[in-house]
């Protein structure tokens, strides 16, 4: 296992930059990405883009992230 850090660059929020994370993952030829905690781990676009690249996402599936990111939908889901 290897840890690959997303470069900080000029944007201090690069850890949340889905395109940058996918670019780094592709360049490093990784098998999977675990985004840790924070914005990228809550962005349903990250697992979608990684899947398109053939890279596994270690985290919840995109549809679940979308529902839980919407307070009304999450409340409805919790009540079912």
């Amino acid at each position: 296992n290897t840890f690959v850090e997303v470069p900080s660059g000029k944007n201090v929020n690069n850890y949340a930059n889905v395109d940058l994370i996918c670019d780094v993952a592709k360049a490093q030829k990784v098998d999977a990405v675990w985004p840790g905690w924070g914005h990228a781990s809550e962005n349903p676009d990250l697992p979608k883009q990684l899947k398109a690249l053939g890279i596994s996402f270690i985290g919840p599936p995109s549809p679940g992230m979308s529902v839980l990111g919407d307070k009304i939908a999450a409340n409805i889901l919790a009540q079912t």
Side-chain angles (χ1 to χ4, degrees):
N1 296 339
T2 303
F3 172 81
V4 178
E5 187 173 0
V6 174
S8 61
K10 294 180 182 178
N11 182 352
V12 295
N13 290 322
N14 279 352
Y15 65 90
N17 184 328
V18 171
D19 292 332
L20 180 61
I21 293 168
C22 290
D23 289 346
V24 170
K26 185 178 176 182
Q28 294 291 322
K29 298 179 178 151
V30 302
D31 297 317
V33 168
W34 178 69
W37 296 273
H39 299 290
S41 67
E42 299 169 4
N43 188 334
D45 291 335
L46 182 58
K48 286 180 192 174
Q49 288 190 32
L50 289 170
K51 184 176 182 177
L53 294 171
I55 299 170
S56 297
F57 176 74
I58 303 170
S62 184
M65 292 170 78
S66 295
V67 170
L68 295 176
D70 177 336
K71 289 183 181 185
I72 294 170
N75 191 1
I76 291 168
L77 178 65
Q79 293 178 30
T80 58

